[in-house]
Amino acid sequence: MSADRHLIEETLSSQPLFKGKLLNAFCDTVRLPDGSTATREYIKHPGAVMVIPQLADGRLLLERQFRYPLDRVFIEFPAGKLDAGEDPLACAQRELLEETGYSAASWEYLGVIHPIISYTDEEIKLYLARDLTAGERQLDDGEFLESITMSMPELIAGVLDGRITDAKTIAGVFWAQQKGLV
């Protein structure tokens, strides 16, 4: 950390702006490395998980879901927020079952992404799920989505032609490539 001292900002004060069911917003006053001050607005997030579910035939299981802030349907891997104190793997298992009806016998932790580092502390833990068994979905109240399958070439084409723009899903495509999924 001492090698980065010339880049570090020090929090002088913090003011809550909004407290919601999912997100909390703050405005902090910080001291910059040159001694001047500035404000930083940011959102605290409870964290989330994303699952890359691979079917026995190699295809990957995704979802189509309407996302209100952008007023459109997106293609994305199953994901969801962590409940307070929840183990990330347990959350991944719960979300896969709730959203798709599938459970997995094999789970591999892949890593973590920070999707929007400029204004939120959100981190998403990524998991690969294999040896899937189909079951019945258990969607949350108010949750509407459909499951779809795509091959890796279809996923990559979707990223490149702009059909898939969700950042966590694009990161998932990278991880799937690194794991040799075809």
Side-chain angles (χ1 to χ4, degrees), residues 94-157:
R94 174 178 55 78
E95 289 292 338
L96 180 64
L97 181 62
E98 285 179 3
E99 294 183 357
T100 70
Y102 281 86
S103 57
S106 173
W107 288 88
E108 181 181 352
Y109 175 73
L110 299 175
V112 63
I113 62 170
H114 297 96
I116 311 169
I117 59 175
S118 57
Y119 63 83
T120 181
D121 68 349
E122 180 181 11
E123 65 177 35
I124 303 172
K125 295 189 180 343
L126 309 179
Y127 291 89
L128 175 60
R130 291 179 165 149
D131 303 318
L132 302 182
T133 302
E136 190 162 329
R137 297 190 313 180
Q138 302 166 16
L139 295 175
D140 291 333
D141 289 338
E143 188 172 37
F144 301 90
L145 56 89
E146 65 184 21
S147 295
I148 62 169
T149 61
M150 297 178 82
S151 67
M152 274 303 295
E154 290 171 319
L155 267 170
I156 293 166

Side-chain angles (χ1 to χ4, degrees), residues 2-117:
S2 63
D4 294 332
R5 182 160 285 138
H6 65 290
L7 301 172
I8 305 296
E9 299 176 358
E10 174 190 357
T11 304
L12 300 175
S13 66
S14 183
Q15 177 183 357
L17 299 175
F18 171 80
K19 184 169 179 69
K21 292 178 183 178
L22 171 65
L23 306 172
N24 298 310
F26 295 85
C27 182
D28 290 4
T29 301
V30 300
R31 184 178 325 284
L32 302 175
D34 68 1
S36 62
T37 60
T39 58
R40 300 289 185 244
E41 295 177 349
Y42 63 99
I43 297 169
K44 289 198 151 291
H45 187 282
V49 299
M50 184 188 78
V51 181
I52 303 169
Q54 185 182 33
L55 297 166
D57 66 4
R59 289 176 301 137
L60 299 171
L61 186 62
L62 293 103
E63 314 175 334
R64 293 182 68 246
Q65 186 172 11
F66 179 79
R67 294 301 190 170
Y68 183 81
L70 292 166
D71 194 30
R72 65 174 264 217
V73 173
F74 285 85
I75 296 171
E76 56 190 291
F77 282 116
K81 82 169 186 65
L82 287 161
D83 290 335
E86 185 176 24
D87 175 73
L89 176 58
C91 180
Q93 293 167 334
R94 174 178 55 78
E95 289 292 338
L96 180 64
L97 181 62
E98 285 179 3
E99 294 183 357
T100 70
Y102 281 86
S103 57
S106 173
W107 288 88
E108 181 181 352
Y109 175 73
L110 299 175
V112 63
I113 62 170
H114 297 96
I116 311 169
I117 59 175

